[in-house]
Amino acid sequence: MALTLVVAGGAWAGSRWAPGCHPSPTGGRVSVQVVEGECVGYSDRATQIFNNDPGQEALRTVQERIFAQNRAAEEVWERSDHRGPYLTLVYLGTLTGNRTRADEESYVSEREELEGMATAQYALLQESAGADGAALLRIVVANGGRQMRHADRAVAMLADLARDDPTVLGVVGLVESRLSTARALRELNRVGLPVLAPTLSADRIDANSRLYLQVSAPNTDQVAMVESYARQVLKVGEAHVYWTTGEDSSLTEDLYVGTLVDGLRQRFGTRITRLEEWHTGRRLTAECGFGGLLFYAGRWSEFDGFLRALRECGDNPPKHLVADDSVNRYMANPGLRAAAPGNVPVTYVSKAALGTCAALRAAEARRDEARASFLTWIQADNLLDPPRCRPDRPHPVGERVSLAYDASMMVVRALESLAARLHHAGPRQRWEPNSVNPVGVHAEVLRQNAGQGYPGVAGLIRYPPDSGEPVDKRLALLRVERVPDVATDPVEVYHCGTADRPEPATCVAVATTR
């Protein structure tokens, strides 16, 4: 496939394309544009890696790993004479545009989702050595720009790619629930590309695409868990809620925060006695000593300032600070946490508590093969940098790694199922990518899901017939006593939803909150 390189809104700067968009003399699946100073488009090889900003080495490293594994997967497929199924998944996220310091990793979520996809790709390379019918995965990395504002450009380019390359079967990612994301979903639906979103959770965002499936529980479930925790465990009635939407955004544009705030307002009703937007620099001394639920319903990017404002409370902090799941991006940033006040314990929502090191080790001990295999992959020397969950170097997995792994593997297992049926006349028959299409693979995902659900690392995934939102997906609340203490793992204190079997969803207090 010939290289497509388009530059719009950018300029030739000496001997390179500005900024960070590079042509490839060897061809490949690469198409990039410079749009308002950002490199927008897609790539499947190391000649085009997104984001050359200082401090973002980890984001570049995982792209390099994926592109090396792309070459390995292609070589294995060629050596097998195309006998196994071969597919391409696109990762579409926000890979540029954040304002960052040189010592700050600002793309934690995107890096973790790419790591999850890289883990799926690595697992399949291992399986292909000893399993007939095991699929091989190529990953195309695509950038929709800051807050997905240029996703329409990226999607148009991906539509061209999908028309030219029949191995392209779906898109993983999209990162944040915003109006720009909804527009991208509608366009991807129009061109017939399924979307599997690891963490999107704005209520009814699935209405934008009949080919959309999300891995995480919707905001409705998050609100229900927080309300249940406040009532049953904290035993408080009054709630104060503050929200933010990130830079240059609004409650209307930010579907995640907008539906979260609406849900809280409906669920708590008159028990919410303060519901306000919070801006960086605003003092929070009115919350010192507050004994009710203080809920942060905003974006992670403002949570650092929110915590710093509570430093003024000294030894009289609010009693029960709880934050939404966006805050896991802050909690995964040691640099930000090191400067946080130590006087305010934080409890926050997790969509992947079953994918932490402690949970995976417990699963391995009880011989849970799926999670034990995932643990083996992420501990490997030649995959993630650094390896995760090693006894001698217990680097945490990351909130989104298992979620993106689950999203990718759902598509892979669906394709393998279709391939097995198509190859019933002879298992050594060559694989023809044109024998399946993205819509058919989406239908197979739902067909496989219709019984017991898909056994994901981060919990059982089940979909109702008329929705792309999972039913009773596991959510948890994790607690950190001292935010600057990055060496201490958070403790799970509460969870709702199912882990492994389709059974009535319950909420359980896991540990006593101090």
Side-chain angles (χ1 to χ4, degrees), residues 365-422:
R366 65 175 183 267
R367 300 188 178 182
D368 178 333
E369 183 58 33
R371 293 188 177 98
S373 295
F374 177 75
L375 178 60
T376 298
W377 306 140
I378 63 175
Q379 290 176 328
D381 288 324
N382 55 343
L383 177 59
L384 305 183
D385 185 18
R388 308 298 150 81
C389 303
R390 292 252 186 109
D392 58 332
R393 193 181 180 191
H395 194 89
V397 183
E399 172 79 6
R400 299 176 181 231
V401 178
S402 60
L403 296 166
Y405 174 86
D406 288 344
S408 302
M409 293 303 283
M410 275 204 300
V411 180
V412 168
R413 298 312 184 202
L415 177 63
E416 289 175 343
S417 175
L418 287 172
R421 297 206 295 273
L422 289 168

Side-chain angles (χ1 to χ4, degrees), residues 1 28-30 42-45 66-67 69-71 73-74 77-78 84-92 114 117-118 120-121 124 134-142 157-173 188 192-196 407-416 431-434 436-439 441-442 445:
M1 181 177 182
R29 291 160 183 80
V30 181
Y42 64 81
S43 172
D44 77 337
R45 60 197 56 215
I66 284 171
F67 296 152
Q69 292 184 165
N70 280 349
R71 293 195 303 273
E74 188 169 357
W77 197 53
E78 292 295 337
Y86 184 72
L87 74 154
T88 299
L89 289 177
V90 176
Y91 176 78
L92 176 57
L114 286 167
M117 295 186 73
Q121 188 182 40
L124 294 168
L136 290 162
L137 172 62
R138 176 174 57 221
I139 297 170
V140 169
V141 178
M157 298 156 81
L158 293 173
D160 291 339
L161 172 66
R163 280 192 292 270
D164 293 340
D165 183 353
T167 71
V168 177
L169 296 180
V171 175
V172 175
L188 286 165
L193 278 177
V195 174
L196 289 97
S408 302
M409 293 303 283
M410 275 204 300
V411 180
V412 168
R413 298 312 184 202
L415 177 63
E416 289 175 343
W431 173 249
E432 296 295 338
N434 283 310
V436 299
N437 61 54
V439 175
V441 172
H442 173 266
V445 170

Side-chain angles (χ1 to χ4, degrees), residues 157-330:
M157 298 156 81
L158 293 173
D160 291 339
L161 172 66
R163 280 192 292 270
D164 293 340
D165 183 353
T167 71
V168 177
L169 296 180
V171 175
V172 175
L174 278 76
V175 186
E176 293 187 346
S177 304
R178 297 183 181 273
L179 284 180
S180 54
T181 309
R183 288 194 295 270
L185 285 174
R186 290 193 293 272
E187 184 60 18
L188 286 165
N189 180 71
R190 188 188 68 79
V191 301
L193 278 177
V195 174
L196 289 97
T199 60
L200 295 190
S201 61
D203 293 326
R204 300 306 302 168
I205 196 169
D206 63 319
N208 292 282
S209 172
R210 62 186 176 84
L211 299 174
Y212 171 83
L213 298 169
Q214 70 188 45
V215 175
S216 296
N219 280 353
T220 299
D221 292 1
Q222 181 172 170
V223 168
M225 179 178 68
V226 169
E227 191 276 335
S228 174
Y229 178 70
R231 178 169 39 83
Q232 296 186 4
V233 177
L234 302 181
K235 299 188 184 303
V236 299
E238 188 179 4
H240 291 176
V241 177
Y242 291 89
W243 54 270
T244 74
T245 57
E247 189 177 12
D248 299 329
S249 188
S250 67
L251 203 59
T252 300
E253 195 279 331
D254 192 329
L255 301 177
Y256 168 78
V257 175
T259 60
L260 187 61
V261 169
D262 285 346
L264 290 163
R265 187 185 292 115
Q266 294 171 21
R267 190 88 182 190
F268 280 84
T270 58
R271 287 177 289 167
I272 295 181
T273 55
R274 180 172 295 157
L275 176 60
E276 300 175 6
E277 183 176 12
W278 185 82
H279 296 283
T280 299
R282 177 183 170 185
R283 299 180 70 187
L284 288 168
T285 51
E287 299 303 332
C288 298
F290 176 57
L293 173 71
L294 176 60
F295 189 72
Y296 180 84
R299 289 290 180 179
W300 73 277
S301 48
E302 287 76 51
F303 190 65
D304 182 55
F306 190 84
L307 274 183
R308 288 171 183 268
L310 292 172
R311 189 193 299 272
E312 284 191 83
C313 292
D315 60 1
N316 187 34
K319 299 296 186 293
H320 306 297
L321 173 58
V322 179
D324 61 26
D325 72 277
S326 178
V327 166
N328 70 66
R329 299 178 73 169
Y330 171 86

Side-chain angles (χ1 to χ4, degrees), residues 71-83 125 128:
R71 293 195 303 273
E74 188 169 357
E75 290 168 3
V76 170
W77 197 53
E78 292 295 337
R79 287 200 304 269
S80 74
D81 196 28
H82 297 187
R83 282 197 293 269
L125 282 167
S128 68

